[in-house]
């Protein structure tokens, strides 16, 4: 990660939705959602600090981590502000009652303008990488996504992804398997990294029924501001 890369903190947090039950932020490239072995301060802690400051809360702030995004990706992350919202959101995710839309800028164009990819993914924990297979092998998990070509640039293609299953590095592995690695994704076959250490994969929209209000909610995050993303808008 380059030293001058802007990551999120309590002061510059990109909040896209907030009520008494949930808070959603636009995660920057390089943010980790939850603490890991790096020891870097996670996004969840910055969100807690933001809530504590904004509402002048004494003591510990409750914040539930519902889902995660890979460190090199950007986009919508939603957290629960109460234990009731957390348990209900966990159930929505477990029951696949959410719609997850991603944008990816990839090398090459898929053969078809739209389609469905189904693979069997096997995770290699040592490499922190998933491998896509055309049929089931031992310890593999079924992975499915729909894609649509949104824009064709000179050297890249913008795809919209509707994620049907939530597997480890699923979009990255499945797109690489059809010869369309995501820009900057060295791990999955792109030829060079991005200067900020990120990849051009963005969690664009997350839709679900609000866990308490029971109303439909769509959370939309703007992609990072860089020349390539700007060219896609």
């Amino acid at each position: 990660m380059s030293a001058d890369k802007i990551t999120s903190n309590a002061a510059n947090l990109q909040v896209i939705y907030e009520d008494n039950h949930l808070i959603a932020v636009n995660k920057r490239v390089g943010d980790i959602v939850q603490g890991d072995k790096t020891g870097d301060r996670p996004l969840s802690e910055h969100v807690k600090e933001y809530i504590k400051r904004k509402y002048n809360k004494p003591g510990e702030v409750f914040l539930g981590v519902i889902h995660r995004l890979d460190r090199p990706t950007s986009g919508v992350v939603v957290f629960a502000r109460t234990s009731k919202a957390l348990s209900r959101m966990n159930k929505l995710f477990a029951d696949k009652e959410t719609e997850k839309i991603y944008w990816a800028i990839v090398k090459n164009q898929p053969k078809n303008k739209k389609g469905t990819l189904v693979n069997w993914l096997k995770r290699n924990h040592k490499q922190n990488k998933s491998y896509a297979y055309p049929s089931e092998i031992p310890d593999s998990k079924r992975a499915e996504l729909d894609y649509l070509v949104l824009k064709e640039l000179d050297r890249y293609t913008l795809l919209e992804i509707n994620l049907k299953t939530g597997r480890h590095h699923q979009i990255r592995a499945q797109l690489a398997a059809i010869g369309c690695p995501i820009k900057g994704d060295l791990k999955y076959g792109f030829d060079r990294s991005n200067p900020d250490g990120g990849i051009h994969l963005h969690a664009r929209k997350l839709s679900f029924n609000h866990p308490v209000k029971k109303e439909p909610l769509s959370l939309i995050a703007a992609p990072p501001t860089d020349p390539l993303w700007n060219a896609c808008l």
Side-chain angles (χ1 to χ4, degrees), residues 12-194:
N12 71 7
L13 212 58
Q14 301 179 94
V15 177
I16 49 184
Y17 179 84
E18 185 178 359
D19 65 16
N20 293 332
H21 314 284
L22 302 173
I23 182 168
V25 300
N26 189 354
K27 172 188 155 347
R28 291 177 169 92
V29 165
D31 293 341
I32 47 168
V33 174
Q34 198 173 26
D36 67 2
K37 63 181 183 292
T38 62
D40 293 344
R41 195 157 192 241
L43 190 58
S44 55
E45 290 300 317
H46 295 303
V47 176
K48 279 187 188 180
E49 189 182 336
Y50 163 87
I51 292 168
K52 193 176 178 73
R53 283 187 194 176
K54 182 171 180 178
Y55 300 103
N56 204 17
K57 280 186 172 285
E60 183 71 13
V61 171
F62 178 89
L63 193 77
V65 176
I66 300 160
H67 65 126
R68 296 164 189 80
L69 293 178
D70 296 342
R71 187 164 192 165
T73 65
S74 55
V76 181
V77 179
V78 63
F79 298 95
R81 291 191 57 194
T82 64
S83 55
K84 180 164 79 170
L86 178 60
S87 61
R88 290 181 180 181
M89 287 299 295
N90 283 340
K91 189 171 189 322
L92 284 177
F93 273 77
D95 294 345
K96 297 184 171 55
E97 291 177 14
T98 60
E99 184 187 43
K100 302 172 191 169
I101 302 293
Y102 286 75
W103 282 358
I105 297 177
V106 301
K107 185 175 163 180
N108 307 322
Q109 287 179 22
K111 282 185 198 152
N112 304 308
K113 299 284 188 191
K114 63 177 184 176
T116 300
L117 303 181
V118 177
N119 297 96
W120 292 85
L121 295 191
K122 184 168 181 175
R123 182 173 181 177
N124 181 317
H125 287 271
K126 194 177 265 188
Q127 293 178 319
N128 189 32
K129 184 174 178 180
S130 288
Y131 290 85
Y133 296 90
S135 53
E136 189 173 8
I137 64 164
D139 301 322
S140 63
K141 292 181 176 175
R142 189 178 183 279
E144 181 179 349
L145 62 79
D146 296 334
Y147 73 86
L148 173 69
V149 172
L150 288 187
K151 192 159 190 173
E152 294 170 15
L153 303 169
D154 289 343
R155 294 164 56 203
Y156 302 105
T157 304
L158 174 65
L159 301 180
E160 183 169 272
I161 310 290
N162 186 342
L163 199 57
K164 300 295 189 182
T165 52
R167 307 302 183 198
H168 175 259
H169 290 181
Q170 178 181 336
I171 298 173
R172 299 165 67 180
Q174 286 196 278
L175 293 180
I178 60 164
C180 298
I182 295 168
K183 184 180 182 296
D185 199 356
L186 279 178
K187 181 167 276 191
Y188 287 94
F190 198 80
D191 47 14
R192 63 190 181 282
S193 57
N194 289 340

